[in-house]
Amino acid sequence: MGAFILRRTGVMILTALCLTFVVFFLTNLFPNLEKLAKTQGNARMSDAEVVSWLDRNGYGGPMILRYGEWLGVVPGWTREDPQTGEITGRCIDFGMDPADAPRFCGLLQGDLGYSTVSNDEVAHIIGGRLVLTGILMFWAFAIMVPAALLVGVLAGMREGSRLDRSLSTFSIASTATPEYVSGVVFIVLLASSTAGVSSTLSEWGWLGPDGWLGDRNTLFLGSARSAMDGGITFWNFTLPVVTIALYGMGYIARMTRASMAEVMTSQYIRTARLKGVSFRNIVLKHALRNALIAPFTVIMLQFPWLLTGVVIVETLFSYNGFGWTLVQAASNNDIELLLACSIVAVLVVLVTQLISDIGYVLLNPRIRIS
Amino acid sequence: MEPLTWTGQFGTFLNPIMLAAVVVFFAAAILNFVIGFAGIRAGGYEVNDEGTMVMNRTPSDYLLMAMQFAVLVFLACCVGFIIGGIVLPEMAQKGILGAVGQRLLPVWIALIVTFALSITFKARLGLYGKLFNSSIGMVGFGLVMFWVYAALFSAWVAPFDALDQISSLRNDIPGTPTPEGEAYSHYLFGGDRLGRDVFSRVILGSTFVLQIAPLATVFAFMVGITLGLPAGYFGGRLDTILTFVANLVLAFPVILLFYLLVTPEIVAAGLPQYMSMVLFLFPIIFLVTLFNSRFHTQPKRRNLLVGLTVLIGGLLYLSLISDRGTVIDVLGWSRLPESWPDRISLGLFSIPLPQSLDLFDIGGNILIVFVSVVFVNSPTVFRIVRGITLDIKTRDYVAAAQTRGEGPWYIMLWEILPNARGPLIVDFCLRIGYTTILLGTLGFFGLGLSPESPDWGSTINEGRSLLTVYPHPALPPALALMSLVLGLNLLADGLREESLKD
């Protein structure tokens, strides 16, 4: 078991190194740097000026060295200005004495760099945004996982029944509805004052100034902007959460159903049935535990999928979390911020993969004992 | 002219019936749920002692029958609206639904012909014929074929061009009449932010999806099969390396990959084109190995087939990857920007060939979208193929082929691959759906495609800024995308069910 975890962790670190290098390479290609130079310096720089600007600001060296500096395993660059004698460097913050500056400053030292667009430490920006996204993810999971497991178990306990067929069709429909479709449909149906359910309810007088459903014009709010300042309410947070949860739900439900259906045909369930155990007890006490091993893996592997969903939902509902930051960083050519976002994304994916692998082995007695 | 109503003349008596059907359906569903808790279940058959059978009916059965009946009535009303639209002469009588039904007339005819022919000859049509035994598969197939025919006949179905603007109809509601002298008398689904016809754009957007998604999936399958078969069959170090690379791509969050690949800076660096050079090589490799492994004992036939593949495939390949004025300009002259330090030397590729041989230039952006979608999908296909190969290579017929002395590639391509077709066909349908979602995601973020392109993702993106005030421009493409993906998923489900019955 220990050797297995060690090997998996080793592969994970290797993967993380490869992926971060790929991201570093793609974000530090010359056209990106050229654009950076022109936005930071002067928009009408000549090619030679661009190259000299890049050299002065530490973007000149070979790619692999810069990757090392960024990672924190190669000493940060320092450079002495030939005219003024002023020393600048990667690790020397503005106004800092060059002698006090640390030699290494990179990912391993916890220094993620400086966002050129929002003029702030990347670590500072990312931290706040991750908290916001964490809240969103928490609620999405809190709705998605129990609902998916319930649907899957109900569908799988009597394979081929009418209940199974209708729940399976529901799961298929939910996997066929990406976030940007369900989000749009939800907003139109529930959060638009001119169409859908809300407008009908206002006409009946149920919504509006003296309606019994609340004094707002719409059932829900089509933007989660107001939820960011701590004011998470049922009104402004339901739609984004449900939109994320719905797409992931179908897949988990189908996996649970398949696993449940397989368990229900196994020998020990038949034995229990022949002994006269009631159907309810068979499902709850005998089948459920074994049927939930496979969905556990799927739930963990759902994180990378949810990441795309989070980016879409945060853009659609203007919620300034991690996904929104990623989009902004990518479209503004904010290299350090984009790199940091990528690291977080890649790490989330790899760590969940690791947990799912180890968890599967731990949960499954057949593998654990052999 | 008056704006159209949704249901037109037939609406006066069909609307109440439809409403009643909906109410009955939901009332019955809720009642059924409630009495389910009270312990009343649907009845079943009971065999009596003397050998006769009795069918018990409980209240639950009657409720289910009511629900079925309501659905049938609802569908009949929809058909009624379409027939009304085709039969009634005046636009005001047709209503929006009727007029849309009439515009889609070629699609209805093609659908009816397809279903009639397929059901008549379903006994002779193998797996495809068996699809018509399952209702879910038929619904899925119908939805998919609806969009296929809509894309095929889009020139007749769509009344306006995707970019035609009538500025007086900006954001106007569905059914607004157009000024005199326009190609069609109404904007059936209203106008968008720039005064373009939403209905025409949804129909024309389907051509984009239905050209790119299946083709990209085919390419992803070629890459996945060409790499997955040897990885599973040979195993060893090759397998370890390929699996590691596949996991590397899979660990990349899709959205990040798109943002990194499709931004203008990366495109300027030509990276997607280098990727297309590698990825598009796989179909040629696949076909050459396929023919060579089968016919290498008949050199004449082999040479003909392999030669044709290399010639036609090679020309298509060069036309596809080379684009005038970009980094890879194989068939023109390579014009590389001199001031480009990170450049990879392309000296090898600048073969001066006459420009006329460059058969087509795909719009640079579409190529990039295509490549990124293939790139994202290939590793998953690779893993599926590898898994199936690992399973099948232990079978007896593989051992028999090995004893016969067949080469490894013959066994992989002509023994293992045909026997893996069931799961692969099912996954192919699912993957087209997933690719459609990916294309929509790209459009939604405005990546790669031009903002005025009528594809569904871009249209949703454009409509979402005013969504709460004007819902009609964003809703039709969203529902279109959903119905196509749903159709593909249902089709895959039906195929899986039927192929399992074999």
Side-chain angles (χ1 to χ4, degrees):
Chain A
M1 192 63 208
F4 169 76
I5 294 179
L6 265 182
R7 202 175 59 233
R8 286 292 307 153
T9 318
V11 172
M12 187 192 109
I13 291 171
L14 187 62
T15 316
L17 279 179
C18 289
L19 285 181
T20 47
F21 182 71
V22 170
V23 176
F24 189 87
F25 177 79
L26 288 177
T27 45
N28 280 275
L29 279 175
F30 187 72
N32 295 59
L33 295 180
E34 189 179 354
K35 197 174 159 198
L36 180 77
K38 286 185 175 167
T39 44
Q40 289 293 301
N42 176 357
R44 273 178 284 174
M45 276 185 189
S46 68
D47 287 351
E49 281 170 330
V50 167
V51 172
S52 87
W53 188 91
L54 291 178
D55 272 338
R56 256 182 295 134
N57 288 283
Y59 293 105
M63 181 86 76
I64 190 83
L65 269 185
R66 277 187 285 140
Y67 175 65
E69 286 178 13
W70 175 81
L71 206 60
V73 291
V74 173
W77 57 272
T78 50
R79 187 175 172 281
E80 195 178 337
D81 196 303
Q83 274 122 47
T84 57
E86 192 189 354
I87 297 179
T88 51
R90 181 184 161 82
C91 304
I92 307 170
D93 288 343
F94 187 73
M96 190 194 247
D97 184 13
D100 298 341
R103 274 188 76 217
F104 298 92
C105 52
L107 184 67
L108 296 179
Q109 285 77 30
D111 186 349
L112 287 170
Y114 195 75
S115 159
T116 48
V117 175
S118 40
N119 277 329
D120 198 358
E121 286 286 327
V122 167
H124 186 230
I125 303 177
I126 288 272
R129 302 286 162 79
L130 272 179
V131 170
L132 286 176
T133 297
I135 299 172
L136 184 65
M137 291 281 251
F138 170 77
W139 285 110
F141 260 72
I143 292 192
M144 177 173 82
V145 173
L149 292 182
L150 186 71
V151 168
V153 168
L154 282 181
M157 66 184 190
R158 281 206 186 89
E159 203 185 358
S161 68
R162 193 174 278 124
L163 185 69
D164 175 26
R165 267 180 288 147
S166 34
L167 286 179
S168 296
T169 313
F170 166 76
S171 319
I172 293 178
S174 118
T175 41
T177 319
E179 289 92 350
Y180 51 89
V181 169
S182 52
V184 163
V185 172
F186 282 145
I187 290 180
V188 170
L189 269 186
L190 301 171
S192 158
S193 52
T194 56
V197 179
S198 299
S199 72
T200 321
L201 290 180
S202 321
E203 263 173 43
W204 292 351
W206 289 13
L207 279 174
D210 41 36
W212 60 276
L213 277 173
D215 54 356
R216 284 138 176 164
N217 276 330
T218 55
L219 269 181
F220 295 106
L221 190 61
S223 146
R225 198 176 280 280
S226 56
M228 282 182 299
D229 315 319
I232 292 179
T233 58
F234 193 61
W235 186 52
N236 61 22
F237 220 52
T238 307
L239 289 189
V241 167
V242 172
T243 306
I244 295 186
L246 191 69
Y247 184 49
M249 207 173 109
Y251 190 63
I252 301 182
R254 291 181 82 176
M255 289 296 145
T256 317
R257 177 193 170 273
S259 155
M260 185 74 189
E262 199 193 321
V263 169
M264 288 305 278
T265 56
S266 59
Q267 299 284 337
Y268 75 96
I269 295 289
R270 200 175 62 179
T271 314
R273 207 173 245 185
L274 292 175
K275 272 165 60 188
V277 183
S278 73
F279 189 72
R280 178 189 302 263
N281 273 343
I282 288 181
V283 170
L284 290 180
K285 293 199 176 145
H286 298 256
L288 208 55
R289 273 185 52 168
N290 285 317
L292 291 185
I293 295 173
F296 169 77
T297 333
V298 179
I299 292 169
M300 292 318 281
L301 294 180
Q302 203 65 9
F303 269 97
W305 287 63
L306 275 184
L307 208 68
T308 312
V310 162
V311 176
I312 294 173
V313 165
E314 288 185 358
T315 313
L316 189 62
F317 290 94
S318 22
Y319 185 74
N320 297 2
F322 173 74
W324 185 84
T325 312
L326 198 153
V327 171
Q328 292 303 313
S331 34
N332 295 335
N333 195 36
D334 197 343
I335 294 179
E336 305 263 276
L337 186 59
L338 182 58
L339 265 172
C341 285
S342 318
I343 300 313
V344 173
V346 165
L347 275 186
V348 166
V349 172
L350 291 178
V351 169
T352 48
Q353 274 183 2
L354 188 68
I355 295 178
S356 113
D357 276 6
I358 296 173
Y360 187 72
V361 173
L362 281 179
L363 284 177
N364 198 337
R366 269 172 257 173
I367 302 183
R368 187 178 58 214
I369 289 165
S370 71
Chain B
M1 261 195 294
E2 288 287 301
L4 294 182
T5 55
W6 275 99
T7 47
Q9 200 184 34
F10 274 27
T12 43
F13 58 94
L14 282 185
N15 280 352
I17 300 178
M18 250 175 137
L19 193 67
V22 172
V23 170
V24 166
F25 181 83
F26 281 105
I30 292 167
L31 260 178
N32 192 18
F33 192 68
V34 171
I35 65 167
F37 272 111
I40 302 176
R41 303 212 170 274
Y45 295 99
E46 229 171 76
V47 182
N48 293 330
D49 291 338
E50 68 267 28
T52 53
M53 250 176 24
V54 173
M55 194 176 142
N56 292 318
R57 284 214 169 124
T58 61
S60 170
D61 282 307
Y62 291 109
L63 285 173
L64 287 170
M65 274 162 67
M67 279 163 74
Q68 268 176 2
F69 186 66
V71 170
L72 285 181
V73 168
F74 188 85
L75 289 179
C77 288
C78 293
V79 174
F81 282 128
I82 293 169
I83 291 176
I86 297 165
V87 175
L88 294 173
E90 292 284 320
M91 280 304 280
Q93 291 175 325
K94 292 179 202 286
I96 297 174
L97 288 180
V100 169
Q102 191 205 15
R103 291 301 309 184
L104 289 168
L105 188 61
V107 177
W108 304 133
I109 295 174
L111 271 181
I112 290 170
V113 169
T114 314
F115 269 85
L117 284 180
S118 311
I119 291 175
T120 318
F121 298 108
K122 73 177 172 186
R124 286 189 235 160
L125 289 172
L127 183 62
Y128 169 75
K130 283 204 195 109
L131 192 64
F132 291 88
N133 293 331
S134 96
S135 52
I136 282 198
M138 261 177 14
V139 171
F141 182 72
L143 279 172
V144 174
M145 286 323 279
F146 172 83
W147 284 113
V148 169
Y149 288 133
L152 269 181
F153 302 129
S154 59
W156 292 289
V157 174
F160 294 93
D161 193 69
L163 298 180
D164 283 347
Q165 299 182 4
I166 302 178
S167 48
S168 60
L169 295 181
R170 274 191 206 126
N171 288 327
D172 271 352
I173 55 159
T176 312
T178 51
E180 286 290 317
E182 291 293 342
Y184 193 67
S185 60
H186 290 81
Y187 266 11
L188 291 174
F189 285 169
D192 67 2
R193 206 160 52 92
L194 298 171
R196 297 169 299 196
D197 183 25
V198 174
F199 174 67
S200 304
R201 283 174 69 78
V202 170
I203 296 293
L204 291 168
S206 68
T207 51
F208 170 80
V209 172
L210 287 164
Q211 277 168 354
I212 304 281
L215 203 62
T217 315
V218 168
F219 272 78
F221 264 77
M222 295 275 188
V223 177
I225 289 173
T226 318
L227 295 176
L229 282 175
Y233 188 76
F234 294 124
R237 195 163 294 160
L238 176 79
D239 183 26
T240 316
I241 294 172
L242 284 177
T243 310
F244 181 74
V245 174
N247 286 343
L248 215 58
V249 181
L250 283 175
F252 233 102
V254 174
I255 190 74
L256 182 64
L257 198 66
F258 279 161
Y259 258 107
L260 291 176
L261 282 183
V262 193
T263 47
E265 289 81 35
I266 306 271
V267 174
L271 189 86
Q273 282 184 306
Y274 295 120
M275 282 169 57
S276 71
M277 267 168 53
V278 178
L279 289 178
F280 292 165
L281 211 53
F282 280 98
I284 302 180
I285 298 177
F286 175 78
L287 286 176
V288 167
T289 348
L290 189 75
F291 292 133
N292 187 42
S293 60
R294 174 85 191 219
F295 298 114
H296 67 103
T297 44
Q298 302 153 267
K300 231 180 208 164
R301 203 155 163 207
R302 192 264 315 260
N303 290 347
L304 180 74
L305 282 170
V306 169
L308 274 180
T309 314
V310 171
L311 202 70
I312 299 174
L315 191 62
L316 287 177
Y317 172 74
L318 291 179
S319 303
L320 206 61
I321 62 162
S322 111
D323 259 339
R324 238 163 280 144
T326 54
V327 184
I328 300 174
D329 188 5
V330 182
L331 299 171
W333 297 88
S334 125
R335 293 167 211 147
L336 286 168
E338 287 305 319
S339 62
W340 196 25
D342 280 352
R343 177 178 50 182
I344 303 164
S345 170
L346 264 183
L348 187 64
F349 294 109
S350 53
I351 318 155
L353 278 176
Q355 192 97 140
S356 58
L357 268 180
D358 194 351
L359 296 176
F360 44 84
D361 268 349
I362 304 178
N365 283 331
I366 294 190
L367 183 77
I368 292 151
V369 168
F370 191 84
V371 170
S372 13
V373 171
V374 173
F375 186 70
V376 169
N377 271 321
S378 315
T380 330
V381 181
F382 164 82
R383 270 167 68 146
I384 294 170
V385 174
R386 176 179 168 274
I388 300 176
T389 311
L390 278 176
D391 175 33
I392 293 186
K393 79 170 178 183
T394 55
R395 301 280 168 91
D396 286 346
Y397 52 79
V398 175
Q402 281 163 342
T403 358
R404 281 206 309 273
E406 302 285 5
W409 282 101
Y410 177 86
I411 295 175
M412 282 184 245
L413 290 168
W414 293 95
E415 300 279 351
I416 294 179
L417 190 59
N419 286 299
R421 69 183 182 282
L424 287 185
I425 290 173
V426 171
D427 185 67
F428 187 73
C429 290
L430 285 177
R431 203 143 292 283
I432 296 179
Y434 180 58
T435 311
T436 310
I437 292 181
L438 282 184
L439 289 174
T441 313
L442 281 173
F444 181 78
F445 285 110
L447 289 170
L449 302 159
S450 76
E452 68 253 27
S453 132
D455 76 284
W456 295 335
S458 309
T459 326
I460 297 174
N461 182 32
E462 202 177 298
R464 77 186 159 92
S465 49
L466 291 173
L467 198 56
T468 45
V469 197
Y470 300 116
H472 62 269
L475 206 52
L479 295 180
L481 194 140
M482 191 178 120
S483 64
L484 175 62
V485 179
L486 180 65
L488 284 162
N489 284 14
L490 291 178
L491 178 64
D493 210 56
L495 281 174
R496 179 182 9 237
E497 228 167 70
E498 292 305 317
S499 68
L500 279 181
K501 277 185 195 163
D502 273 356

